[in-house]
């Protein structure tokens, strides 16, 4: 379904009065409002093609209806999100869940919605129907060379799809690992994986990046071959300058200091990007900022500090992607909330008085350091984020408009109540 032009205008006309009151008040308080708004307007977040339907767990899945039945409808849904919030200008595909059959048609359709193709994702954690070798005991780490070869060829095939679509990066997440002590020779598994990644790396075009995504556990529950940031950094350092580490917020052991990991990966020039989501326990893939919004703010604090230190462009310097799964919420509403939470955390972190923070750190004034951070975190910047959207032609309140025009009901009418999207 396509949003009609007037729907956004009518919505904004109703809300712009109260918005203007909040925005005028805030912009008087924040002298750097205009530079923050232009940074927000440029900041685009890639939407995962595999998270546009209802997710589930081994205990059950409760589809909400109107789910996209093919890649074209997934692009339509991301296009609708982008029309509403003007911050979702890219889609990240997962192969083979979203194999583009007609590259030109898919590219034209995406362009129609103002979308580009972000990182391509390979999948050697599931066995496909026609597959010869099984990934039950891993893929790039596998003791059997034929299995590794099959997985390498799959990744190279994914790069080929990406080249046709104009993508510039490949994300490799490996489920590889072991479930029991003694099952795996850790050194051999690392060396097989490195040797395999080297072949995939060699197939990357010069202007591409490879993101090596780490994860502490699941689906393996004793060891994971790319299990933490240190192991991923070991791989990306040995692979070469086009290889970077990807941080999925849900892939850490409890209470890990993710903002410190981000700071050090940036310092080493090896931070490639993010899979934004939130979690209380494991890889819960919940709405970004729904459980630990302060942690998200602290991560953006380190991002701005480290990116400015390296004169990196905030919008294009790293891969900004969401990776979530929706067991209870409407998938599109969940993503709208995630994008909003990311924009708010970014805007709040842009408010931090960095000169004062540096001074407090250099004088071990711990109390002031916290006050400086929390002053920014406790500032309600939603009117700045809304103003950036308004100036970009988006809706002042995307979620409110999404509900008012009954998008889900219209999608159910168009697609049916039982459609199941490919993905998690
Ligand atoms: C693994 C992961 C990875 C994707 C998958 C859908 O947990 O985060 O990024 O391939 O989810
Ligand atoms: Mn991920």
């Amino acid at each position: 379904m396509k949003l009609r032009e007037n729907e956004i205008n009518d919505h904004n006309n109703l809300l712009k009065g109260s918005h203007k009151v909040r925005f005028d008040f805030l912009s008087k308080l924040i002298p750097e409002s205009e530079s923050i708004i232009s940074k927000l307007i440029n900041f685009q977040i890639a939407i995962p093609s595999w998270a546009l339907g209802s997710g589930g767990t081994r205990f059950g899945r409760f589809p909400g209806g109107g789910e996209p039945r093919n890649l074209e409808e997934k692009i339509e849904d991301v296009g609708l999100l982008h029309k509403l919030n003007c911050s979702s200008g890219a889609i990240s595909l997962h192969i083979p869940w979203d194999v583009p059959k007609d590259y030109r048609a898919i590219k034209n359709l995406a362009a129609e919605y103002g979308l580009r193709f972000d990182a391509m994702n390979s999948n050697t954690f599931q066995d496909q129907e026609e597959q010869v070798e099984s990934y039950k005991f891993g893929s790039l780490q596998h003791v059997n060379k034929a299995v590794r070869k099959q997985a390498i060829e799959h990744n190279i095939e994914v790069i080929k799809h990406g080249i046709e679509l104009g993508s510039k990066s490949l994300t490799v997440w490996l489920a590889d690992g072991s479930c029991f002590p003694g099952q795996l020779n850790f050194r051999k598994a690392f060396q097989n994986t490195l040797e395999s990644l080297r072949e995939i790396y060699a197939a990357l075009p010069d202007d591409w990046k490879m993101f090596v995504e780490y994860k502490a556990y699941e689906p393996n529950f004793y060891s994971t071959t790319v299990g933490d940031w240190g192991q991923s950094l070991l791989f990306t350092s040995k692979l070469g300058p086009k290889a970077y580490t990807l941080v999925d917020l849900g892939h850490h052991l409890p209470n890990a200091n993710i903002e410190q990991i981000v700071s050090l990966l940036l310092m080493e020039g090896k931070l490639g990007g993010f899979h934004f989501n939130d979690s209380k326990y494991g890889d819960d893939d919940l709405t970004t900022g729904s459980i630990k919004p302060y942690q998200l703010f602290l991560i953006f604090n380190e991002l701005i500090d480290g990116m400015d230190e390296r004169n990196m462009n905030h919008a294009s310097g790293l891969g900004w992607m969401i990776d979530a799964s929706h067991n209870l919420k409407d998938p599109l509403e969940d993503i709208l909330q995630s994008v909003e939470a990311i924009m708010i955390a970014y805007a709040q972190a842009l408010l931090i008085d960095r000169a004062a923070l540096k001074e407090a750190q250099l004088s071990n004034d711990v109390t002031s350091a916290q006050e400086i951070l929390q002053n920014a975190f406790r500032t309600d910047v939603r009117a700045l984020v809304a103003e950036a959207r308004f100036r970009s032609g988006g809706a002042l309140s995307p979620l409110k408009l999404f509900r008012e025009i009954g998008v889900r009901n219209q999608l159910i009418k168009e697609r049916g109540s039982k459609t199941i999207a490919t993905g998690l």
Side-chain angles (χ1 to χ4, degrees):
M1 67 164 281
K2 270 206 165 167
L3 268 181
R4 288 192 302 285
E5 214 41 62
N6 69 301
E7 286 173 315
I8 289 189
N9 294 341
D10 299 351
H11 163 85
N12 286 345
N13 288 338
L14 285 175
L15 295 182
K16 70 182 176 201
S18 54
H19 164 67
K20 190 169 180 335
V21 172
R22 281 191 296 277
F23 175 62
D24 290 350
F25 170 78
L26 200 56
S27 47
K28 283 195 190 67
L29 280 181
I30 302 172
E32 64 272 33
S33 292
E34 288 307 312
S35 77
I36 292 177
I37 289 169
S38 61
K39 285 191 172 83
L40 292 172
I41 289 172
N42 295 332
F43 198 83
Q44 296 295 317
I45 299 157
I47 309 300
S49 64
W50 61 90
L52 297 167
S54 300
T57 73
R58 57 187 166 160
F59 302 107
R61 188 171 186 279
F62 308 92
E67 296 189 9
R69 297 163 289 188
N70 50 47
L71 181 52
E72 288 76 8
E73 291 183 347
K74 289 186 175 190
I75 291 173
E76 267 180 40
D77 288 1
V78 176
L80 183 139
L81 294 174
H82 190 46
K83 192 84 183 136
L84 287 168
N85 64 24
C86 298
S87 306
S88 309
I91 182 169
S92 183
L93 300 188
H94 217 299
I95 306 293
W97 293 336
D98 310 298
V99 175
K101 298 195 181 42
D102 176 337
Y103 295 125
R104 177 173 300 288
I106 288 293
K107 277 184 85 173
N108 293 345
L109 181 64
E112 228 180 275
Y113 288 100
L115 303 178
R116 63 175 176 78
F117 290 94
D118 204 305
M120 302 293 289
N121 296 265
S122 59
N123 177 342
T124 59
F125 50 86
Q126 293 171 329
D127 288 346
Q128 308 305 320
E129 286 302 308
E130 71 292 347
Q131 205 170 296
V132 177
E133 306 289 349
S134 171
Y135 294 135
K136 179 175 181 179
F137 296 106
S139 59
L140 302 185
Q141 77 168 19
H142 205 287
V143 293
N144 175 338
K145 192 166 180 52
V147 179
R148 301 199 301 269
K149 187 169 178 305
Q150 176 183 275
I152 292 165
E153 283 164 1
H154 164 70
N155 277 276
I156 293 173
E157 188 199 332
V158 173
I159 293 171
K160 290 199 178 98
H161 288 307
I163 292 168
E164 295 291 342
L165 295 173
S167 171
K168 293 293 183 192
S169 53
L170 168 72
T171 296
V172 179
W173 169 66
L174 301 173
D176 294 25
S178 62
C179 275
F180 298 95
Q183 173 188 339
L184 197 63
N185 177 305
F186 299 134
R187 188 178 58 257
K188 280 306 294 167
F190 183 97
Q191 289 162 342
N192 285 346
T193 302
L194 179 60
E195 182 195 296
S196 304
L197 284 171
R198 283 196 197 292
E199 288 192 45
I200 299 167
Y201 186 92
L204 289 174
D206 293 346
D207 61 349
W208 270 52
K209 292 178 176 178
M210 174 193 280
F211 298 145
V212 177
E213 182 177 1
Y214 61 87
K215 182 173 183 177
Y217 66 94
E218 188 208 33
N220 276 297
F221 297 105
Y222 173 63
S223 78
T224 298
T225 301
V226 189
D228 64 21
W229 72 284
Q231 293 169 45
S232 174
L233 184 58
L234 207 48
F235 280 113
T236 57
S237 305
K238 290 174 182 291
L239 285 166
K242 291 186 279 186
Y244 298 84
T245 291
L246 186 140
V247 177
D248 183 313
L249 300 190
H251 288 187
H252 301 83
L253 294 174
N255 308 322
N257 187 325
I258 303 176
E259 54 270 27
Q260 183 186 21
I261 294 171
V262 166
S263 165
L264 299 180
L265 286 170
L266 253 180
M267 177 185 74
E268 291 300 296
K270 277 299 189 182
L271 178 63
F274 287 85
H275 278 179
F276 289 112
N277 48 57
D278 210 337
S279 52
K280 186 162 183 58
Y281 303 105
D283 189 19
D284 311 342
D285 277 344
L286 300 174
T287 316
T288 310
S290 61
I291 308 290
K292 299 180 286 225
Y294 192 49
Q295 175 183 267
L296 185 65
F297 162 78
L298 294 174
I299 288 170
F300 270 94
N301 170 37
E302 296 303 334
L303 282 169
I304 292 166
D305 177 69
M307 294 181 87
D308 291 354
E309 179 75 15
R310 301 176 72 89
N311 296 321
M312 290 168 74
N313 175 295
H314 290 183
S316 58
L318 295 173
W320 310 108
M321 296 164 273
I322 287 172
D323 181 2
S325 175
H326 327 285
N327 300 345
L328 301 179
K329 290 181 180 179
D330 179 295
L332 300 182
E333 292 188 354
D334 196 332
I335 294 171
L336 285 174
Q337 288 185 309
S338 276
V339 171
E340 179 80 358
I342 295 165
M343 301 302 275
I344 288 172
Y346 179 36
Q348 288 172 326
L350 287 168
L351 276 183
I352 295 168
D353 180 341
R354 294 196 174 276
L357 181 62
K358 191 170 180 187
E359 198 187 314
Q361 289 167 342
L362 292 176
S363 56
N364 296 313
D365 183 348
V366 181
T367 303
S368 296
Q370 179 180 318
E371 287 305 307
I372 293 160
L373 285 186
Q374 295 197 329
N375 179 39
F377 179 69
R378 292 170 175 159
T379 303
D380 181 355
V381 296
R382 289 176 292 177
L384 286 186
V385 175
E387 178 67 15
R389 253 192 323 268
F390 183 57
R391 294 184 190 181
S392 311
L396 279 167
S397 175
L399 196 54
K400 187 171 170 20
L401 182 54
F402 179 95
R403 292 217 164 166
E404 277 168 2
I405 56 182
V407 171
R408 183 54 58 191
N409 291 340
Q410 290 187 43
L411 291 175
I412 290 172
K413 253 200 241 96
E414 275 176 36
R415 299 169 181 174
S417 61
K418 294 274 174 281
T419 54
I420 303 289
T422 54
L424 275 188

